[in-house]
Amino acid sequence: MTSAQWASLIQAAVVFGTVIMYGAIGEIITEKSGNLNLGVPGIMYLGGIAGLAVAFLYENSVADPSRLVSFILSFGAAFLAAALGGLIFSILTISLRVNQNVTGLTLTIFGGGVANFFGGSLNKLAGGVGQISVARTSSVYRATLPGVSSMSPMMKAVLGYGFMVYLAIILAILATWFLNRTHTGLNLRAVGESPATADAAGINVTKYKYLATCIGAGISGLGGLYYVMDYIKGTWANDGAIETLGWLAVALVIFALWKPVNATWGSYLFGVLFWLYYYIQGLNRASQEIFKMLPYIVTIAVLVIVSIRRKRDMGPASLGLSYFREER
Amino acid sequence: MKDITKTFGPVVANDKVSLTINKGEILSLLGENGSGKTTLMNMLSGIYFPDGGQIFVNGQEVTISSPKDAFELGIGMIHQHFKLVDVFTAAENIVLGLEGKGRLDLKEVGRKVREICDRYGFDVDPNQLVCDMSVSQKQTLEIVKVLYRGADILILDEPTAVLTPQETDKLFAVMRNMKADGKAIVIITHKLHEVMDVSDRVAVLRKGQYIGDVATCDTDPQKLTDMMVGRAVKLNIDRPAPVDPQDRLRVEHLTVKDKEGVTVLSDATFTLRSGEILGVAGISGSGQKELLEAIAGLQNVEPGSRVVYIEPESGKEHDLCGLDPLKIRQLGVHLSFVPEDRLGMGLVGTMGMTGNMMLKTYGRGHGPLVDRRPSSKLATDIKEQLEVMTPGINYPVRRLSGGNVQKVLVGREIAADPTVLMTAYAVRGLDINTSYTIYRLLNEQKQKGVAVLYVGEDLDVLLELADRILVLCAGQISGIVDGASVTKEQVGLMMTHLNWKEAEA
């Protein structure tokens, strides 16, 4: 491969990786509270469509839409809509103690349905399939540093992205610091490891679970927003791509061993593995699909290796279990 | 504490208990199992909320509705089951749940922890992970955790049950240091010699009622036992003579290791005879569970272990090691009550009686469909004969009371016509009446020629019910004695000393 090809592969991997990095960071925070939210794909859908819809409505209701306002509106809407998805999950699993797996899978189906319904409607409003475009808002997300266009391909592969690529990395570092270096983070981890212990130590388990799940979902939803605004440049397609990415985000959580920092390079690695087929000569459609499975195979390999080596790295101990104080 | 009352459904766990805990004093709380000691202390530490009565701390009336309230009043409890997060370090566990905004300064925590350790003579490494700690280290950590929160009243719930004698001595030394520092300490224990050794005052509970308190120097173990048991509860259980005893099950060199490779049952050799009840005594966790499960085919045993089942009449011998539980059951060896978790291994909680009956017989029908009729008839019979209180035979057994669950389980096992019946903690959590029903059922089985293995925790019952008593001590059999002639003291000695003959001398 030439260096230009390498640069192009890295670029594809970083953009792809950023989508799932948001999904994974949000899900790690959720899972640290012991909630296994398999609704990540649905939540990313909700974030994506909410951001797009609000930007579209704003751009079409004002004669000269402000970039700043359209950014704030779309970013906020995406986070809130996704957090709302997390709230649905929280109410069902924490307060009503419905099975988490069932709830999560249902949320995935629900989010996809809602998003594709409104996505289709927006396209219709915009004049037909594939017609929707929020170019102005999207340009905010895709704005790069000045002078990037004159850089070498390799420099571009490092610096030539919209701000959300870097925000994801900052979020990963912040999340790591929060989980390991703050009282609140310690308490949150305790809730996911042993809610009974946390309860006895005076921690409000329900509150922690709710907040972690809703904020985590909000962050996951930003992945959907990034996909819509940057990856497909402010358009919408009912093609199920977000769902694929959502499941990769769930796999990335496991691959990263529930550590946000691992999710950064892990997500780029997933991106490289996912796009590798494009750069390998002589693949037909069938063998391409085999290459696209690589991220999942790597995840399984990591799981096997980790489970042989150290059990305690296998995620929060009470992951997937609902908690209620036991009365005699 | 004044006139404290707590009920769980129809059970009165504490009935108008009044208790005073003094500064600079170690108070022993004594009572039989189920006499309400832990419940009483749980109300001090905020786990339960009393139904009636008042609590005063330093003369002020207080309301303790959560563990947090208790911390704030300086009350800390060290539970029998440790409340620690395994993957956290000692320091992280200590600061868990404490108010504190922003950054977590573990170095500062470590420094404070060392300060506490130096003051009272603990040995805790703040950076060690809990999952790498021994039981006694975890307990020490629990105590440090409570002290870190500034507790002045410490409650220890059976702290010595899991400790070796050396570790116990160390704990007592620390407790005396804390006493000298003006802390009030409550210790719940069953071991009378420890009560005599460490405490200043003894308070006795019996069946949820406060009997009284005495200064330790004015009493002796005999008097305390009298207070604990009282006259009214003198148990009287029949012990019919064994009927035509024949060897039924021969256990030879049975050795079981747990997942970590630690030997939990070592070289157990004994014979179980038909028509007799062989009692098994021992401190909990001495290998009882492993013994029963190994016989029932639920445990992997070490090479060299043999469990030989001798068929009645024909005298044919079968080696049970290596057979699966179903085959062992078909031979007539039945494990009935399962310790710790009755519903976990014995019954399916969400199914009704009929469904639970079917668990043992589903393979008997012909064709792919199950026949519910025999099972529902059996369920009806058991319900009537054993007076199971249930709204219906299809009512989920999970919602029945403990005693009724127990009856369903024993009824099912007996109905299968066992030749060997094993029971563990059959009457745990049951009231006197139901307990007697269970004893009666076991005696009936014995008279029918069944070989009964009875694991119990109440020595008085074992002494009255069992024909012979096998005593376990730390995974080894320290002896098998005649139930009619042995004394409680002797069994107690054998439970704690492998070479009890020397200890006695």
Side-chain angles (χ1 to χ4, degrees), chain B residues 42 81 104 146 166 174 202 231 341 406 437 471 476 488:
Chain B
N42 273 338
H81 306 285
L104 177 66
V146 167
Q166 292 79 6
V174 167
V202 189
R231 286 246 156 68
D341 190 3
Q406 205 72 295
T437 311
V471 187
Q476 296 187 40
K488 194 173 167 182

Side-chain angles (χ1 to χ4, degrees), chain B residues 175-485:
Chain B
M175 281 169 63
R176 290 192 189 98
N177 285 342
M178 294 192 289
K179 178 176 92 173
D181 199 44
K183 310 267 186 213
I185 299 165
V186 180
I187 176 172
I188 300 177
T189 176
H190 289 295
K191 301 176 191 169
L192 288 174
H193 69 95
E194 293 178 356
V195 172
M196 300 305 295
D197 184 13
V198 76
S199 66
D200 302 305
R201 202 158 53 93
V202 189
V204 181
L205 287 181
R206 187 202 306 151
K207 303 268 170 281
Q209 290 187 330
Y210 185 66
I211 301 305
D213 67 324
V214 284
T216 310
C217 52
D218 296 342
T219 188
D220 58 56
Q222 186 54 52
K223 280 185 198 155
L224 288 175
T225 314
D226 291 349
M227 274 175 89
M228 230 163 90
V229 179
R231 286 246 156 68
V233 288
K234 190 75 186 156
L235 289 174
N236 203 359
I237 305 165
D238 286 340
R239 177 163 40 201
V243 191
D244 182 24
Q246 287 174 348
D247 289 0
R248 185 64 67 236
L249 197 69
R250 212 166 58 231
V251 175
E252 294 166 3
H253 310 297
L254 184 63
T255 302
V256 178
K257 286 186 174 167
D258 69 5
K259 275 185 211 148
E260 276 85 43
V262 178
T263 308
V264 279
L265 186 66
S266 147
D267 200 19
T269 301
F270 65 92
T271 308
L272 181 61
R273 300 193 199 117
S274 65
E276 72 158 13
I277 295 179
L278 176 64
V280 177
I283 299 167
S284 81
S286 301
Q288 296 95 321
K289 183 175 167 228
E290 287 75 16
L291 176 67
L292 296 192
E293 291 190 354
I295 297 173
L298 298 169
Q299 278 275 357
N300 292 325
V301 296
E302 295 300 302
S305 307
R306 295 229 316 148
V307 178
V308 180
Y309 171 67
I310 303 142
E311 232 174 72
E313 282 155 35
S314 72
K316 232 175 107 189
E317 300 196 349
H318 301 268
D319 190 354
L320 299 185
C321 291
L323 292 185
D324 65 47
L326 188 65
K327 292 213 185 80
I328 292 175
R329 224 162 50 210
Q330 280 162 354
L331 282 171
V333 181
H334 279 251
L335 175 63
S336 147
F337 316 105
V338 178
E340 277 117 41
D341 190 3
R342 231 170 262 145
L343 288 173
M345 281 170 84
L347 298 169
V348 179
T350 49
M351 299 206 307
M353 281 177 70
T354 311
N356 275 298
M357 297 303 139
M358 223 146 48
L359 287 179
K360 292 260 162 137
T361 55
Y362 66 91
R364 273 187 212 158
H366 301 285
L369 301 177
V370 291
D371 186 357
R372 290 183 72 90
R373 267 165 307 181
S375 298
S376 86
K377 185 174 175 303
L378 177 61
T380 314
D381 290 349
I382 291 174
K383 178 173 180 267
E384 279 165 13
Q385 282 170 19
L386 305 188
E387 294 163 6
V388 180
M389 304 291 282
T390 169
I393 52 169
N394 291 318
Y395 188 75
V397 291
R398 186 167 52 98
R399 300 213 198 126
L400 302 182
S401 73
N404 286 310
V405 170
Q406 205 72 295
K407 285 181 191 168
V408 173
L409 192 49
V410 76
R412 183 184 70 188
E413 299 305 328
I414 288 173
D417 257 334
T419 51
V420 176
L421 183 65
M422 296 184 282
T423 75
Y425 309 116
V427 295
R428 181 181 277 182
L430 301 193
D431 61 57
I432 293 278
N433 238 335
T434 322
S435 303
Y436 272 84
T437 311
I438 302 282
Y439 301 144
R440 187 170 52 77
L441 287 168
L442 291 178
N443 268 327
E444 275 173 19
Q445 290 300 304
K446 167 181 158 183
Q447 281 169 303
K448 274 168 69 182
V450 175
V452 180
L453 191 63
Y454 176 90
V455 176
E457 38 192 0
D458 192 334
L459 281 185
D460 293 308
V461 172
L462 272 173
L463 288 172
E464 289 189 64
L465 182 68
D467 300 299
R468 290 184 302 149
I469 299 174
L470 183 159
V471 187
L472 282 170
C473 172
Q476 296 187 40
I477 297 182
S478 55
I480 300 178
V481 290
D482 179 38
S485 59

Side-chain angles (χ1 to χ4, degrees), chain A residues 17-90:
Chain A
T18 299
V19 181
I20 58 175
M21 202 196 299
Y22 279 107
I25 294 170
E27 180 66 3
I28 287 172
I29 291 175
T30 303
E31 291 194 11
K32 282 289 179 187
S33 77
N35 275 0
L36 176 66
N37 185 354
L38 290 179
V40 177
I43 281 165
M44 285 168 68
Y45 259 124
L46 289 176
I49 193 64
L52 180 74
V54 169
F56 177 78
L57 294 177
Y58 174 69
E59 279 193 23
N60 283 303
S61 61
V62 184
D64 181 27
S66 140
R67 282 167 199 272
L68 181 69
V69 172
S70 69
F71 160 69
I72 292 173
L73 283 178
S74 58
F75 195 90
F79 189 91
L80 279 182
L84 206 64
L87 185 65
I88 296 174
F89 182 86
S90 301

